[in-house]
Every structure is written in C-alpha cells, then in structure tokens.
Amino acid sequence: FCKVGFIHKAAMDTLARECYNQRQKFDPIHFSNLLYSFATLRLPGPPGILSSIAESAAEHVHRFDAGNLAIASWALAMLGMKEQHLLDLAIDRVCLPQVCPNLGSRALSMMALACFRTGRPHRLDELLNATRLVG
C-alpha cells in the first residue's frame, strides 16, 4: 500500500495485528519494512501494536544490518514513537566498528533525522564520531 500511497486504515490495522501475531517469525527486514510502511502512510496503527512490534524488534537488534536499523529508526521517529528503546539500541549498534562502515549516506541521513526528531541530538554526535573513526 505505501509504495503507491494508497491509504486504507482498516487494511493496515489488520496487517498490523497479523504481524503482531507473527512477530516471532520476523527477520529484521520485516520489522523495518512494517514500521516504514506505517510511517510512510502516516498511520499510527492500532493502539499499542506498533509499540509492541518495536519492542520485539529490540530483542533482535543484534541481527539488524545498518540499513534496516536506519529504516526502523526513521520510521519510529516519523511515527512519534520517541520513547522506544529500539532507537537507542539502533544507535548503539550502528556505532559499532563492524556495523558503522556499512552505513551509507541515506542511512546516515535517516539516523540523523531520527536523532533530532526523538530528542537525541547528543546521540548524533556519537554517530558522527563513529563514522569518522571508521573512515
């Protein structure tokens, strides 16, 4: 739906509930794509569902690559979900020397926006320092 800008709240809410029920089977890309879809359509989803999905994603943050961390962080920021623990875990992970070199310019921009929109400008300093260290 989000690729064509088609907004059907009832269908998206059903999708969110079904994804919540199957979240234990998700790979990182599934978490980030789901959050991205809701953020792109500016839909909050059913109360508590996307928050619970983000909490599940946080349990698997060690499996996320830099791109999916950036997408999920951007989506949470756009959805106004600034209290999600996944945001800090994502920043911690992309600052790691084995992950940071894979953070492209688009992903870095998404992380920067997430830092500012969620009241974490100090975390952007950490991220920029990490990128300088890895070249």
Side-chain angles (χ1 to χ4, degrees):
F1 292 144
C2 78
K3 289 284 187 186
V4 295
F6 179 72
I7 299 174
H8 192 287
K9 184 180 179 324
M12 292 298 289
D13 284 354
T14 299
L15 175 67
R17 286 186 194 96
E18 186 58 33
C19 288
Y20 172 80
N21 292 335
Q22 297 195 29
R23 69 193 183 282
Q24 298 306 329
K25 300 176 186 174
F26 275 19
D27 289 324
I29 194 168
H30 300 130
F31 288 111
S32 58
N33 282 348
L34 179 70
L35 294 168
Y36 178 85
S37 295
F38 277 87
T40 301
L41 295 174
R42 309 286 193 262
L43 291 173
I49 297 290
L50 294 181
S51 180
S52 294
I53 289 171
E55 289 170 13
S56 293
E59 295 171 13
H60 301 280
V61 74
H62 63 282
R63 295 175 43 220
F64 278 68
D65 63 20
N68 283 308
L69 289 167
I71 291 166
S73 298
W74 176 88
L76 292 172
M78 297 303 292
L79 290 165
M81 299 171 69
K82 64 182 181 179
E83 300 304 321
Q84 284 296 320
H85 186 52
L86 177 59
L87 289 163
D88 286 311
L89 293 174
I91 296 166
D92 291 344
R93 182 145 172 79
V94 297
C95 287
L96 294 173
Q98 65 270 30
V99 178
C100 193
N102 300 313
L103 193 66
S105 61
R106 181 171 183 247
L108 182 59
S109 296
M110 293 175 103
M111 293 299 295
L113 182 135
C115 287
F116 282 111
R117 285 212 171 192
T118 63
R120 292 171 172 81
H122 61 286
R123 299 300 315 263
L124 180 59
D125 290 336
E126 293 173 41
L127 179 58
L128 293 177
N129 287 336
T131 61
R132 285 185 199 104
L133 288 174
V134 298

